[in-house]
Amino acid sequence: MAIENKGTPDSAEPVSSGNTVSSDVPATSSSEPKTTDSGATTIKETGKTKKKRLLKNTIFLYVLVFSGYFFSFITVPYQTRVLGAELYGKIGWAMAVMAYFSVFIEFGFLLSATASIAGNRDDKTYVEKVVGAVTLDKLLLTLLSLAVLAPMAFFWQKMSSDPWFYLLCFLSVSSASFMLDFFYRGIEEMQTITIASVFLRALFTIGIFVFMHKPQDYWMVPALNLGGNLLAAGYVYGHMIFKLGYKIRWPGLGFAWQILKESTWFFLSRVASTIYTATNIFLLGFVYPVASIPIGVYTAADKLLGVMKQTMGPISDSLYPYMVRNRDFKLLKKILLSLMPVVALGCIVVAIIAEPMCSWFFGTQFRDAGKVLRLMMLILFITLPVYLLGFPTLSPLGGAKAVNQSVIVASIFHVFALCVTFVLGYLNIYSVVLLTFCTEMIILIYRVVAVSKYWKKSKAGL
């Protein structure tokens, strides 16, 4: 089946791909003008230009990530010292709960809508309809989420003592869903979203030092995030409309429903992923008090792991639309093989210095976070192949469903293992890390097998 325009197929693969596959390195395109469905005339990019675009977007993604390191390096140690392990754990638990609502509002659009726009980038009218559909869908999903959370905040024992704090956390998380990441990733122009995000983080950093001076100021964390998100969202929508010349086109309810359906598999994958990330902290809230030192220690270690994993995220994020359009498997293989020794060395170094590093970074109350972080290096070591063998590899081969299925299968294992561990009385901050590593290994093995399967199919169709 040939590659189709006008969205992703019903199977939820970002780009439809059949039994044939192009060579690993695409041939240089011609530079003759091309007329798009919307009537615009464009120039085809050469292979060299495409790789320059990939490099540019990778650089901006790394600027985005490393700005996060810089601001986190400043604010997280300050937060942990002002708030202490108990309140820092409370914020971590609240954000774990909000992760469920976040994944529902996002609904996998970061992958499905990115692919739709990347595959139809020259059709401005269609891109505008996708932006309109995703915005409408997210607004409706936000209202549904709020209708569920409000009763929980006021009547559930674990939240009812501080309901407005949890509602504020929800608003801070839901507002982040309207940053138009999918649009800028799809057109492969990461400069704008990077500027907006860096501005947001700078504003949050300044606000933390200006407004948070004592433990009772813990509510400023979600409040400042909310303010920054609203300003950044206003900036990216304004840039898209007034600078790039796109508008938010009314998609019609039928098209909005179609976009929602096409993202279902990606949503299920994200839900499954949330099960073995946010659910870890969420369930620990049933083993320990929500505001407790063990949850604070785990949250701190998980924060560092997340930062380390983000160093690999831009590689996968920038490769994804590039691979959808160009199917350059030799480049992907080269990146994976050249970076794995660096990852291994980094994991060994962190494992050796984990405890003094956590004590220095978070404060002496968080020294035990080093023990948790040391175990987490097992997870970090396999993160890069898990990322790269996912959508960047399997989507161009026609195996996007396998990416989602790998997460779903692994998550079923994770939930079962968590329940058994909880019933037997062995659920704690260390057993959760080991279970998460086993879950990630299942994902990796599943994807390796899937890549082999779809690669053979693609070669058989040549």
Side-chain angles (χ1 to χ4, degrees), residues 108-139:
F109 295 125
L110 185 58
L111 292 170
S112 64
T114 294
S116 291
I117 291 174
N120 300 276
R121 194 169 64 194
D122 295 329
D123 190 341
K124 185 177 179 181
T125 299
Y126 179 76
V127 170
E128 291 175 341
K129 285 183 66 178
V130 171
V131 172
V134 172
T135 302
L136 176 61
D137 288 336
K138 286 187 175 183
L139 285 171

PDB file of all heavy atoms in Angstrom, residues 108-139:
ATOM      1  N   GLY A 108      -2.274  11.145  22.950  1.00  0.00           N
ATOM      2  CA  GLY A 108      -1.373  10.639  21.913  1.00  0.00           C
ATOM      3  C   GLY A 108      -1.194  11.560  20.721  1.00  0.00           C
ATOM      4  O   GLY A 108      -0.564  11.188  19.726  1.00  0.00           O
ATOM      5  N   PHE A 109      -1.746  12.806  20.787  1.00  0.00           N
ATOM      6  CA  PHE A 109      -1.653  13.715  19.645  1.00  0.00           C
ATOM      7  C   PHE A 109      -0.211  14.100  19.321  1.00  0.00           C
ATOM      8  O   PHE A 109       0.089  14.438  18.170  1.00  0.00           O
ATOM      9  CB  PHE A 109      -2.458  14.992  19.915  1.00  0.00           C
ATOM     10  CG  PHE A 109      -3.938  14.769  20.032  1.00  0.00           C
ATOM     11  CD1 PHE A 109      -4.627  15.188  21.159  1.00  0.00           C
ATOM     12  CD2 PHE A 109      -4.645  14.142  19.019  1.00  0.00           C
ATOM     13  CE1 PHE A 109      -5.992  14.989  21.275  1.00  0.00           C
ATOM     14  CE2 PHE A 109      -6.012  13.930  19.122  1.00  0.00           C
ATOM     15  CZ  PHE A 109      -6.694  14.354  20.255  1.00  0.00           C
ATOM     16  N   LEU A 110       0.677  14.088  20.317  1.00  0.00           N
ATOM     17  CA  LEU A 110       2.059  14.464  20.055  1.00  0.00           C
ATOM     18  C   LEU A 110       2.688  13.550  19.013  1.00  0.00           C
ATOM     19  O   LEU A 110       3.580  13.962  18.265  1.00  0.00           O
ATOM     20  CB  LEU A 110       2.875  14.420  21.345  1.00  0.00           C
ATOM     21  CG  LEU A 110       4.323  14.908  21.251  1.00  0.00           C
ATOM     22  CD1 LEU A 110       4.380  16.345  20.761  1.00  0.00           C
ATOM     23  CD2 LEU A 110       5.033  14.781  22.576  1.00  0.00           C
ATOM     24  N   LEU A 111       2.217  12.310  18.927  1.00  0.00           N
ATOM     25  CA  LEU A 111       2.716  11.377  17.921  1.00  0.00           C
ATOM     26  C   LEU A 111       1.825  11.340  16.675  1.00  0.00           C
ATOM     27  O   LEU A 111       2.303  11.494  15.560  1.00  0.00           O
ATOM     28  CB  LEU A 111       2.836   9.974  18.522  1.00  0.00           C
ATOM     29  CG  LEU A 111       3.924   9.821  19.583  1.00  0.00           C
ATOM     30  CD1 LEU A 111       3.803   8.479  20.285  1.00  0.00           C
ATOM     31  CD2 LEU A 111       5.311   9.956  18.965  1.00  0.00           C
ATOM     32  N   SER A 112       0.533  11.167  16.871  1.00  0.00           N
ATOM     33  CA  SER A 112      -0.359  11.014  15.716  1.00  0.00           C
ATOM     34  C   SER A 112      -0.476  12.305  14.911  1.00  0.00           C
ATOM     35  O   SER A 112      -0.392  12.292  13.673  1.00  0.00           O
ATOM     36  CB  SER A 112      -1.749  10.556  16.175  1.00  0.00           C
ATOM     37  OG  SER A 112      -2.365  11.534  16.990  1.00  0.00           O
ATOM     38  N   ALA A 113      -0.676  13.442  15.586  1.00  0.00           N
ATOM     39  CA  ALA A 113      -0.815  14.706  14.874  1.00  0.00           C
ATOM     40  C   ALA A 113       0.513  15.158  14.279  1.00  0.00           C
ATOM     41  O   ALA A 113       0.543  15.755  13.197  1.00  0.00           O
ATOM     42  CB  ALA A 113      -1.367  15.780  15.812  1.00  0.00           C
ATOM     43  N   THR A 114       1.626  14.862  14.964  1.00  0.00           N
ATOM     44  CA  THR A 114       2.943  15.162  14.397  1.00  0.00           C
ATOM     45  C   THR A 114       3.130  14.444  13.071  1.00  0.00           C
ATOM     46  O   THR A 114       3.583  15.028  12.079  1.00  0.00           O
ATOM     47  CB  THR A 114       4.061  14.746  15.375  1.00  0.00           C
ATOM     48  OG1 THR A 114       3.996  15.558  16.542  1.00  0.00           O
ATOM     49  CG2 THR A 114       5.436  14.916  14.734  1.00  0.00           C
ATOM     50  N   ALA A 115       2.765  13.164  13.041  1.00  0.00           N
ATOM     51  CA  ALA A 115       2.916  12.380  11.810  1.00  0.00           C
ATOM     52  C   ALA A 115       1.983  12.885  10.713  1.00  0.00           C
ATOM     53  O   ALA A 115       2.363  12.948   9.534  1.00  0.00           O
ATOM     54  CB  ALA A 115       2.644  10.911  12.098  1.00  0.00           C
ATOM     55  N   SER A 116       0.748  13.247  11.070  1.00  0.00           N
ATOM     56  CA  SER A 116      -0.196  13.764  10.080  1.00  0.00           C
ATOM     57  C   SER A 116       0.324  15.041   9.438  1.00  0.00           C
ATOM     58  O   SER A 116       0.246  15.216   8.218  1.00  0.00           O
ATOM     59  CB  SER A 116      -1.553  14.048  10.744  1.00  0.00           C
ATOM     60  OG  SER A 116      -2.190  12.861  11.135  1.00  0.00           O
ATOM     61  N   ILE A 117       0.863  15.934  10.254  1.00  0.00           N
ATOM     62  CA  ILE A 117       1.383  17.196   9.723  1.00  0.00           C
ATOM     63  C   ILE A 117       2.677  16.973   8.947  1.00  0.00           C
ATOM     64  O   ILE A 117       2.880  17.555   7.873  1.00  0.00           O
ATOM     65  CB  ILE A 117       1.585  18.196  10.878  1.00  0.00           C
ATOM     66  CG1 ILE A 117       0.223  18.622  11.434  1.00  0.00           C
ATOM     67  CG2 ILE A 117       2.380  19.413  10.417  1.00  0.00           C
ATOM     68  CD1 ILE A 117       0.300  19.491  12.676  1.00  0.00           C
ATOM     69  N   ALA A 118       3.562  16.111   9.467  1.00  0.00           N
ATOM     70  CA  ALA A 118       4.827  15.838   8.760  1.00  0.00           C
ATOM     71  C   ALA A 118       4.574  15.231   7.387  1.00  0.00           C
ATOM     72  O   ALA A 118       5.285  15.536   6.418  1.00  0.00           O
ATOM     73  CB  ALA A 118       5.695  14.892   9.598  1.00  0.00           C
ATOM     74  N   GLY A 119       3.556  14.361   7.273  1.00  0.00           N
ATOM     75  CA  GLY A 119       3.259  13.723   5.993  1.00  0.00           C
ATOM     76  C   GLY A 119       2.507  14.605   5.027  1.00  0.00           C
ATOM     77  O   GLY A 119       2.389  14.286   3.842  1.00  0.00           O
ATOM     78  N   ASN A 120       1.954  15.736   5.504  1.00  0.00           N
ATOM     79  CA  ASN A 120       1.160  16.637   4.656  1.00  0.00           C
ATOM     80  C   ASN A 120       1.562  18.090   4.863  1.00  0.00           C
ATOM     81  O   ASN A 120       0.742  18.995   4.799  1.00  0.00           O
ATOM     82  CB  ASN A 120      -0.326  16.472   4.977  1.00  0.00           C
ATOM     83  CG  ASN A 120      -0.830  15.069   4.746  1.00  0.00           C
ATOM     84  OD1 ASN A 120      -1.175  14.691   3.643  1.00  0.00           O
ATOM     85  ND2 ASN A 120      -0.859  14.266   5.811  1.00  0.00           N
ATOM     86  N   ARG A 121       2.846  18.297   5.102  1.00  0.00           N
ATOM     87  CA  ARG A 121       3.337  19.610   5.498  1.00  0.00           C
ATOM     88  C   ARG A 121       3.094  20.674   4.432  1.00  0.00           C
ATOM     89  O   ARG A 121       2.928  21.854   4.731  1.00  0.00           O
ATOM     90  CB  ARG A 121       4.831  19.511   5.811  1.00  0.00           C
ATOM     91  CG  ARG A 121       5.385  20.701   6.554  1.00  0.00           C
ATOM     92  CD  ARG A 121       6.782  20.421   7.059  1.00  0.00           C
ATOM     93  NE  ARG A 121       7.724  20.214   5.965  1.00  0.00           N
ATOM     94  CZ  ARG A 121       8.941  19.697   6.119  1.00  0.00           C
ATOM     95  NH1 ARG A 121       9.327  19.319   7.313  1.00  0.00           N
ATOM     96  NH2 ARG A 121       9.744  19.549   5.083  1.00  0.00           N
ATOM     97  N   ASP A 122       3.048  20.284   3.162  1.00  0.00           N
ATOM     98  CA  ASP A 122       2.874  21.250   2.080  1.00  0.00           C
ATOM     99  C   ASP A 122       1.416  21.639   1.855  1.00  0.00           C
ATOM    100  O   ASP A 122       1.137  22.541   1.060  1.00  0.00           O
ATOM    101  CB  ASP A 122       3.456  20.689   0.776  1.00  0.00           C
ATOM    102  CG  ASP A 122       4.963  20.490   0.856  1.00  0.00           C
ATOM    103  OD1 ASP A 122       5.613  21.262   1.587  1.00  0.00           O
ATOM    104  OD2 ASP A 122       5.477  19.558   0.209  1.00  0.00           O
ATOM    105  N   ASP A 123       0.499  20.955   2.512  1.00  0.00           N
ATOM    106  CA  ASP A 123      -0.923  21.263   2.380  1.00  0.00           C
ATOM    107  C   ASP A 123      -1.361  22.111   3.576  1.00  0.00           C
ATOM    108  O   ASP A 123      -1.754  21.590   4.619  1.00  0.00           O
ATOM    109  CB  ASP A 123      -1.731  19.961   2.311  1.00  0.00           C
ATOM    110  CG  ASP A 123      -3.190  20.197   1.936  1.00  0.00           C
ATOM    111  OD1 ASP A 123      -3.664  21.348   2.082  1.00  0.00           O
ATOM    112  OD2 ASP A 123      -3.863  19.239   1.513  1.00  0.00           O
ATOM    113  N   LYS A 124      -1.296  23.424   3.413  1.00  0.00           N
ATOM    114  CA  LYS A 124      -1.539  24.344   4.521  1.00  0.00           C
ATOM    115  C   LYS A 124      -2.947  24.212   5.082  1.00  0.00           C
ATOM    116  O   LYS A 124      -3.156  24.236   6.303  1.00  0.00           O
ATOM    117  CB  LYS A 124      -1.286  25.776   4.057  1.00  0.00           C
ATOM    118  CG  LYS A 124      -1.403  26.810   5.162  1.00  0.00           C
ATOM    119  CD  LYS A 124      -1.067  28.195   4.627  1.00  0.00           C
ATOM    120  CE  LYS A 124      -1.206  29.244   5.718  1.00  0.00           C
ATOM    121  NZ  LYS A 124      -0.900  30.606   5.204  1.00  0.00           N
ATOM    122  N   THR A 125      -3.927  24.062   4.211  1.00  0.00           N
ATOM    123  CA  THR A 125      -5.318  23.938   4.665  1.00  0.00           C
ATOM    124  C   THR A 125      -5.495  22.720   5.558  1.00  0.00           C
ATOM    125  O   THR A 125      -6.153  22.784   6.604  1.00  0.00           O
ATOM    126  CB  THR A 125      -6.270  23.833   3.467  1.00  0.00           C
ATOM    127  OG1 THR A 125      -6.151  25.019   2.669  1.00  0.00           O
ATOM    128  CG2 THR A 125      -7.718  23.680   3.925  1.00  0.00           C
ATOM    129  N   TYR A 126      -4.903  21.614   5.168  1.00  0.00           N
ATOM    130  CA  TYR A 126      -5.025  20.392   5.960  1.00  0.00           C
ATOM    131  C   TYR A 126      -4.322  20.548   7.315  1.00  0.00           C
ATOM    132  O   TYR A 126      -4.854  20.140   8.341  1.00  0.00           O
ATOM    133  CB  TYR A 126      -4.425  19.206   5.201  1.00  0.00           C
ATOM    134  CG  TYR A 126      -4.497  17.924   5.980  1.00  0.00           C
ATOM    135  CD1 TYR A 126      -5.685  17.224   6.096  1.00  0.00           C
ATOM    136  CD2 TYR A 126      -3.369  17.413   6.622  1.00  0.00           C
ATOM    137  CE1 TYR A 126      -5.770  16.055   6.837  1.00  0.00           C
ATOM    138  CE2 TYR A 126      -3.435  16.245   7.363  1.00  0.00           C
ATOM    139  CZ  TYR A 126      -4.639  15.566   7.455  1.00  0.00           C
ATOM    140  OH  TYR A 126      -4.714  14.415   8.192  1.00  0.00           O
ATOM    141  N   VAL A 127      -3.140  21.159   7.305  1.00  0.00           N
ATOM    142  CA  VAL A 127      -2.411  21.372   8.560  1.00  0.00           C
ATOM    143  C   VAL A 127      -3.241  22.224   9.510  1.00  0.00           C
ATOM    144  O   VAL A 127      -3.336  21.936  10.713  1.00  0.00           O
ATOM    145  CB  VAL A 127      -1.050  22.043   8.290  1.00  0.00           C
ATOM    146  CG1 VAL A 127      -0.394  22.495   9.592  1.00  0.00           C
ATOM    147  CG2 VAL A 127      -0.128  21.077   7.545  1.00  0.00           C
ATOM    148  N   GLU A 128      -3.881  23.276   8.984  1.00  0.00           N
ATOM    149  CA  GLU A 128      -4.720  24.139   9.817  1.00  0.00           C
ATOM    150  C   GLU A 128      -5.905  23.375  10.399  1.00  0.00           C
ATOM    151  O   GLU A 128      -6.305  23.601  11.553  1.00  0.00           O
ATOM    152  CB  GLU A 128      -5.217  25.325   8.996  1.00  0.00           C
ATOM    153  CG  GLU A 128      -4.105  26.302   8.628  1.00  0.00           C
ATOM    154  CD  GLU A 128      -4.581  27.412   7.712  1.00  0.00           C
ATOM    155  OE1 GLU A 128      -5.646  27.251   7.085  1.00  0.00           O
ATOM    156  OE2 GLU A 128      -3.900  28.440   7.613  1.00  0.00           O
ATOM    157  N   LYS A 129      -6.473  22.478   9.631  1.00  0.00           N
ATOM    158  CA  LYS A 129      -7.586  21.666  10.138  1.00  0.00           C
ATOM    159  C   LYS A 129      -7.121  20.727  11.247  1.00  0.00           C
ATOM    160  O   LYS A 129      -7.842  20.512  12.226  1.00  0.00           O
ATOM    161  CB  LYS A 129      -8.219  20.860   8.999  1.00  0.00           C
ATOM    162  CG  LYS A 129      -9.092  21.676   8.065  1.00  0.00           C
ATOM    163  CD  LYS A 129      -9.741  20.793   7.013  1.00  0.00           C
ATOM    164  CE  LYS A 129     -10.732  19.829   7.627  1.00  0.00           C
ATOM    165  NZ  LYS A 129     -11.401  18.996   6.592  1.00  0.00           N
ATOM    166  N   VAL A 130      -5.926  20.171  11.102  1.00  0.00           N
ATOM    167  CA  VAL A 130      -5.389  19.296  12.153  1.00  0.00           C
ATOM    168  C   VAL A 130      -5.180  20.090  13.433  1.00  0.00           C
ATOM    169  O   VAL A 130      -5.548  19.629  14.530  1.00  0.00           O
ATOM    170  CB  VAL A 130      -4.068  18.638  11.701  1.00  0.00           C
ATOM    171  CG1 VAL A 130      -3.416  17.905  12.866  1.00  0.00           C
ATOM    172  CG2 VAL A 130      -4.322  17.662  10.553  1.00  0.00           C
ATOM    173  N   VAL A 131      -4.616  21.293  13.323  1.00  0.00           N
ATOM    174  CA  VAL A 131      -4.409  22.136  14.506  1.00  0.00           C
ATOM    175  C   VAL A 131      -5.747  22.454  15.166  1.00  0.00           C
ATOM    176  O   VAL A 131      -5.894  22.370  16.393  1.00  0.00           O
ATOM    177  CB  VAL A 131      -3.664  23.438  14.130  1.00  0.00           C
ATOM    178  CG1 VAL A 131      -3.634  24.398  15.314  1.00  0.00           C
ATOM    179  CG2 VAL A 131      -2.256  23.126  13.662  1.00  0.00           C
ATOM    180  N   GLY A 132      -6.749  22.805  14.362  1.00  0.00           N
ATOM    181  CA  GLY A 132      -8.072  23.101  14.897  1.00  0.00           C
ATOM    182  C   GLY A 132      -8.707  21.900  15.564  1.00  0.00           C
ATOM    183  O   GLY A 132      -9.309  22.014  16.645  1.00  0.00           O
ATOM    184  N   ALA A 133      -8.566  20.729  14.940  1.00  0.00           N
ATOM    185  CA  ALA A 133      -9.161  19.509  15.485  1.00  0.00           C
ATOM    186  C   ALA A 133      -8.510  19.120  16.814  1.00  0.00           C
ATOM    187  O   ALA A 133      -9.200  18.767  17.778  1.00  0.00           O
ATOM    188  CB  ALA A 133      -9.032  18.372  14.478  1.00  0.00           C
ATOM    189  N   VAL A 134      -7.186  19.177  16.864  1.00  0.00           N
ATOM    190  CA  VAL A 134      -6.482  18.807  18.092  1.00  0.00           C
ATOM    191  C   VAL A 134      -6.813  19.779  19.222  1.00  0.00           C
ATOM    192  O   VAL A 134      -7.043  19.372  20.370  1.00  0.00           O
ATOM    193  CB  VAL A 134      -4.957  18.748  17.853  1.00  0.00           C
ATOM    194  CG1 VAL A 134      -4.212  18.560  19.168  1.00  0.00           C
ATOM    195  CG2 VAL A 134      -4.614  17.612  16.890  1.00  0.00           C
ATOM    196  N   THR A 135      -6.873  21.082  18.908  1.00  0.00           N
ATOM    197  CA  THR A 135      -7.220  22.076  19.921  1.00  0.00           C
ATOM    198  C   THR A 135      -8.627  21.840  20.460  1.00  0.00           C
ATOM    199  O   THR A 135      -8.861  21.875  21.681  1.00  0.00           O
ATOM    200  CB  THR A 135      -7.119  23.499  19.336  1.00  0.00           C
ATOM    201  OG1 THR A 135      -5.784  23.723  18.855  1.00  0.00           O
ATOM    202  CG2 THR A 135      -7.449  24.547  20.397  1.00  0.00           C
ATOM    203  N   LEU A 136      -9.585  21.589  19.575  1.00  0.00           N
ATOM    204  CA  LEU A 136     -10.964  21.314  19.994  1.00  0.00           C
ATOM    205  C   LEU A 136     -11.030  20.048  20.842  1.00  0.00           C
ATOM    206  O   LEU A 136     -11.678  20.020  21.900  1.00  0.00           O
ATOM    207  CB  LEU A 136     -11.864  21.184  18.767  1.00  0.00           C
ATOM    208  CG  LEU A 136     -13.331  20.806  19.033  1.00  0.00           C
ATOM    209  CD1 LEU A 136     -14.009  21.864  19.901  1.00  0.00           C
ATOM    210  CD2 LEU A 136     -14.081  20.620  17.718  1.00  0.00           C
ATOM    211  N   ASP A 137     -10.369  19.006  20.385  1.00  0.00           N
ATOM    212  CA  ASP A 137     -10.375  17.741  21.131  1.00  0.00           C
ATOM    213  C   ASP A 137      -9.800  17.926  22.532  1.00  0.00           C
ATOM    214  O   ASP A 137     -10.336  17.415  23.522  1.00  0.00           O
ATOM    215  CB  ASP A 137      -9.576  16.672  20.373  1.00  0.00           C
ATOM    216  CG  ASP A 137     -10.299  16.173  19.129  1.00  0.00           C
ATOM    217  OD1 ASP A 137     -11.530  16.289  19.085  1.00  0.00           O
ATOM    218  OD2 ASP A 137      -9.613  15.664  18.222  1.00  0.00           O
ATOM    219  N   LYS A 138      -8.695  18.665  22.625  1.00  0.00           N
ATOM    220  CA  LYS A 138      -8.055  18.857  23.932  1.00  0.00           C
ATOM    221  C   LYS A 138      -8.931  19.676  24.883  1.00  0.00           C
ATOM    222  O   LYS A 138      -8.966  19.419  26.086  1.00  0.00           O
ATOM    223  CB  LYS A 138      -6.687  19.520  23.759  1.00  0.00           C
ATOM    224  CG  LYS A 138      -5.615  18.586  23.214  1.00  0.00           C
ATOM    225  CD  LYS A 138      -4.253  19.247  23.215  1.00  0.00           C
ATOM    226  CE  LYS A 138      -3.170  18.276  22.791  1.00  0.00           C
ATOM    227  NZ  LYS A 138      -1.809  18.863  22.852  1.00  0.00           N
ATOM    228  N   LEU A 139      -9.640  20.666  24.350  1.00  0.00           N
ATOM    229  CA  LEU A 139     -10.538  21.453  25.187  1.00  0.00           C
ATOM    230  C   LEU A 139     -11.640  20.577  25.778  1.00  0.00           C
ATOM    231  O   LEU A 139     -11.956  20.657  26.971  1.00  0.00           O
ATOM    232  CB  LEU A 139     -11.157  22.594  24.376  1.00  0.00           C
ATOM    233  CG  LEU A 139     -10.242  23.787  24.079  1.00  0.00           C
ATOM    234  CD1 LEU A 139     -10.903  24.729  23.087  1.00  0.00           C
ATOM    235  CD2 LEU A 139      -9.900  24.540  25.366  1.00  0.00           C
TER     236      LEU A 139
END
